[in-house]
Amino acid sequence: MNERSLRDGLATTWLGRTMFYADSVDSTNLWAARSSGTNPQVEGAVFVAARQTRGRGSGGSRWYSDDTDGLWFSIVLREPVRVQPLSFLPGVALVDLLRQEIGVDAHLKWPNDVLVGDRKLAGILVESQQQSDASTAWIVGIGLNVNQVAFPPELADTAVSLRLLTGRPFRRQSLLQRLLQQIERIYRTDVDVVQLWRTRTRMIGARVRATRRGVPSWVHVVGVNDAGHLQVIAADGSQQTWVSSTDLDLGREFGE
Ligand code: BTN
């Protein structure tokens, strides 16, 4: 991969037309944020790294990406953001790519995970950044496990890669180009990304193991509201709306 090869064959109109590549960075999200300097970010700029030494996961966790087996990149989007919630967009696009072009039956786990079976194939981290002109840029980080044949012990039971799923290696460059095309296709003012999200998850109607503020219980997922918040019936029968996953750990188990 390099900047030129990433641009060659890219079929998008605007997304990734500004493309940066590095063999190694701390985190593509941090790199994208740093790169703004005194110039506001370019809409649709994409930052790709072959490996990350300090990949960032959701909730302040680390994202294992200190190898060149995955696809690690970040997209910059400027206000006004056309799709809400923005964090749903990459997952929907990735599930479409996996199902339509690769034959992998992926599905979404609230809020932002892409799973195959009960294993995590990809994660998404959206962060905002104040620009020098007082506007906001959104940095959409996507990590997709591609060619890993094994994971570190702490991930061995929960993570999966495309290679492990299909038995063959993939070109990360081609995956990136096709994923950017899917994202650009969906990123339109009139798209109801929540509805797209709902039709690509198995959670709605399922019983799910959830740990909230350290307390585990089974909850029944009723739906996702138009703002993208998770609606559940808790173990005590109360209806609850969960806004973010910061104090919530949805277990891997789906009940019957
Ligand atoms: C999660 O915890 O599920 C979110 C993981 C997001 C990982 C991606 S890899 C590219 C981008 N840069 C980062 O440091 N994190 C995101």
Side-chain angles (χ1 to χ4, degrees):
M1 280 201 293
N2 59 50
E3 271 160 34
R4 187 185 304 163
S5 70
L6 283 167
R7 273 191 224 106
D8 285 349
L10 181 65
T12 56
T13 306
W14 57 273
L15 186 57
R17 288 283 140 200
T18 302
M19 179 94 75
F20 302 99
Y21 169 82
D23 289 331
S24 178
V25 292
D26 47 3
S27 147
T28 56
N29 272 31
L30 292 175
W31 181 25
R34 275 195 305 270
S35 76
S36 67
T38 50
N39 299 315
Q41 298 270 21
V42 175
E43 169 84 342
V46 172
F47 295 77
V48 193
R51 61 187 279 270
Q52 300 183 119
T53 54
R54 203 153 65 86
R56 289 150 64 85
S58 53
S61 64
R62 175 171 178 248
W63 179 256
Y64 174 78
S65 42
D66 205 351
D67 60 46
T68 58
D69 290 330
L71 179 58
W72 325 123
F73 71 101
S74 302
I75 297 170
V76 175
L77 294 172
R78 305 292 312 270
E79 297 279 7
V81 167
R82 289 186 263 171
V83 163
Q84 294 292 351
L86 178 57
S87 69
F88 277 14
L89 171 70
V92 166
L94 182 54
V95 165
D96 285 0
L97 171 70
L98 294 166
R99 289 184 184 175
Q100 294 165 8
E101 299 183 35
I102 299 175
V104 165
D105 190 17
H107 57 104
L108 296 166
K109 177 178 155 190
W110 190 83
N112 295 321
D113 290 349
V114 177
L115 304 190
V116 177
D118 65 356
R119 286 176 181 258
K120 184 158 164 172
L121 181 66
I124 290 149
L125 178 67
V126 179
E127 300 181 281
S128 65
Q129 193 203 15
Q130 184 87 8
Q131 301 291 284
S132 51
D133 62 1
S135 67
T136 302
W138 293 90
I139 297 169
V140 181
I142 300 164
L144 171 65
N145 297 326
V146 180
N147 288 325
Q148 291 92 339
V149 289
F151 287 94
E154 64 274 23
L155 298 177
D157 290 341
T158 54
V160 74
S161 69
L162 282 177
R163 182 167 189 165
L164 287 169
L165 287 167
T166 64
R168 67 181 176 94
F170 286 80
R171 289 181 64 230
R172 289 164 301 154
Q173 178 171 313
S174 159
L175 288 171
L176 173 67
Q177 291 175 334
R178 290 189 283 164
L179 183 51
L180 292 177
Q181 219 178 322
Q182 292 278 358
I183 293 172
E184 186 179 279
R185 175 180 64 81
I186 298 169
Y187 191 67
R188 305 186 313 262
T189 36
D190 59 345
V191 79
D192 182 353
V193 77
V194 175
Q195 185 52 25
L196 297 179
W197 195 95
R198 288 185 190 114
T199 58
R200 289 160 180 77
T201 188
R202 295 181 186 162
M203 290 182 76
I204 297 173
R207 266 170 25 98
V208 169
R209 188 88 177 146
T211 302
R212 217 175 177 210
R213 300 187 186 106
V215 182
S217 65
W218 285 96
V219 301
H220 182 83
V221 177
V222 188
V224 173
N225 70 16
D226 289 345
H229 303 155
L230 193 71
Q231 299 168 305
V232 303
I233 298 177
D236 63 3
S238 63
Q239 293 214 18
Q240 299 183 6
T241 301
W242 292 350
V243 171
S244 85
S245 63
T246 48
D247 57 352
L248 168 72
D249 175 23
L250 288 177
R252 297 169 64 201
E253 308 102 282
F254 282 54
E256 279 104 61

